[in-house]
Amino acid sequence: MLRDVAEHGADRASPSSAAIDWAVEGDACVRLLRDLLRIPTVNPPGNERPAAELVAEFLRAHRLEPRVVESDPTRASVIARYAGNGRLPPLLLTGHLDVVEADPTTWTRPPFSADIADGCIWGRGAVDMKNMVSMSACVMGLLARIKPKLDRDVIFAAVADEETGSSKGAHYLVDEHPDLVRAEYALGEIGGFSLYLMGRVFYPIQVAEKGQVWLTATFSGEAGHGSMPRADSAVIKAAEAIVRLGHNRLPFHPTDVVRRFLHELAKGLPQPARFVLPRLGTPALAGLLLDRVLPDPATRRTFASYLSNTASPTVVRAGSKTNVIPSTASFEIDGRTLPGQSEQDFLREIRRQIGDEAVFQVLASQPPVVAPVDTPMFRCLADAIRRNDPRGVPIPAMIPGFTDAKAYHKLGTKYYGFSPVRFEADDGISFAALYHGKDERIPEAGLRWGLRTLYDAVIAFAQSK
Ligand SMILES: [Zn+2]
């Protein structure tokens, strides 16, 4: 047993995966995850401190020296480091401790129970992403016990506040304590899960995420009495603009990362998908293929989000009295930009759709983030997937949302969404539906698989050659 080796101060044990008792390590990971799931870190308000302390305690038990850093009272993150020889820059394993809300009346089981049922561990945060926090902490524990010689430090950061934009978590650490988390590569959400398509199993690894441009568009018009309707009122102008955004796509922009994703996905699929998918990367064909060939609206929406900047009207504000035509009407737009597209590019496209009259106010803006695919890190991730699921096809992917990658990117870190978890084809669980959805849960076997896969990737990448 490795634990005996460590306790008796014997020579280093072999860091190879085969020498590790994965049943025992998996038990520890399941325990840690369940303990974390029982701490409701719903953000807002977050209150991640107890979760950070729990993880710090786990790391201390493995003789690591974690540091708990508070950005605000109760908003804590925990960081630890396993030292390599420093020949190469560090690798960061990261996850967030906060979760989104969960309405217990819609759940089959209480969202903070951490029940084990139907082969799954249930709870808000089971896949987003206390699983990655638990697996990463266990990998750190393994390193501390086995003491492999590494060319790189491996840093662990479990952070506050991802779900409301990371300002009290990853952005805070990057801005205020950059040396604690500075790394050449980082592994976090979203990727490394099994995705079943037409009988094949893919493992998307996030190499890119879209940018964010959130703005308000305000229209003005003559105020008046509701008894005398006018077609040029602020409300009508805003409504027409909303309809235009809803019924028209923004222009297609083929990007390298999306083309590669479509190509690699297509290679693994039968016809007609094998023929159709790569052609989505051709702007002249994309609209036709999306509308005529992709039958399922959810699939169409997903692929459409890979090919254009997008704009969703969300919050609408106008008027306060039924009989008064207001002089202004405004709505908020949740805009997402493709790699290679700037805030200005996006605003130009919106302007073209909704006209010159709208006054824009940008509420929040972050650029897209891309990591290269042809790196030793990506190869190690893909190898770890293939070794642990020989049927699995790893593919580089872009997500339309955003993660803590935005923060680490400011330090030049190449960030990959890789929080491995295996689902079975007959689980009846869709990873996408679990994310922020009801009945969030993770297959226990899939978590254990993820721990080993993550360890394999880390050791293959960081070990002295
Ligand atoms: Zn998340």
Side-chain angles (χ1 to χ4, degrees), residues 106-190:
T106 63
W107 281 54
T108 310
R109 295 174 176 280
F112 300 101
S113 67
D115 285 349
I116 295 186
D118 307 326
C120 292
I121 306 163
W122 293 59
R124 175 58 87 218
V127 296
D128 180 17
M129 56 178 305
K130 287 174 172 172
N131 59 324
M132 180 60 174
V133 171
S134 306
M135 293 189 304
S136 300
C138 288
V139 167
M140 296 302 287
L142 273 164
L143 295 178
R145 283 210 325 266
I146 300 171
K147 300 186 175 63
K149 288 185 177 155
L150 302 185
D151 277 342
R152 305 170 182 267
D153 290 3
V154 178
I155 306 172
F156 166 87
V159 303
D161 197 34
E162 194 274 342
E163 297 293 358
T164 62
S166 313
S167 66
K168 305 290 180 200
H171 279 296
Y172 172 82
L173 287 177
V174 162
D175 295 341
E176 303 299 325
H177 302 278
D179 292 338
L180 289 182
V181 291
R182 193 185 307 280
E184 182 179 14
Y185 293 98
L187 305 181
E189 62 182 345
I190 298 169

Side-chain angles (χ1 to χ4, degrees), residues 437-455:
K438 73 182 176 85
D439 289 344
E440 185 176 344
R441 60 202 188 275
I442 185 168
E444 187 183 326
L447 174 75
R448 291 170 183 271
W449 179 90
L451 172 62
R452 183 169 180 162
T453 304
L454 181 64
Y455 177 83

Side-chain angles (χ1 to χ4, degrees), residues 249-264:
R249 280 194 194 101
L250 297 176
F252 294 115
H253 301 289
T255 57
D256 288 348
V257 59
V258 170
R259 279 196 167 133
R260 182 153 179 180
F261 164 74
L262 294 169
H263 185 74
E264 305 225 348

Side-chain angles (χ1 to χ4, degrees), residues 118 120 122 196 423-434 438-439 441 443:
D118 307 326
C120 292
W122 293 59
Y196 290 87
F423 296 92
E424 300 301 330
D426 54 5
D427 274 345
I429 301 175
S430 145
F431 180 80
L434 296 177
K438 73 182 176 85
D439 289 344
R441 60 202 188 275

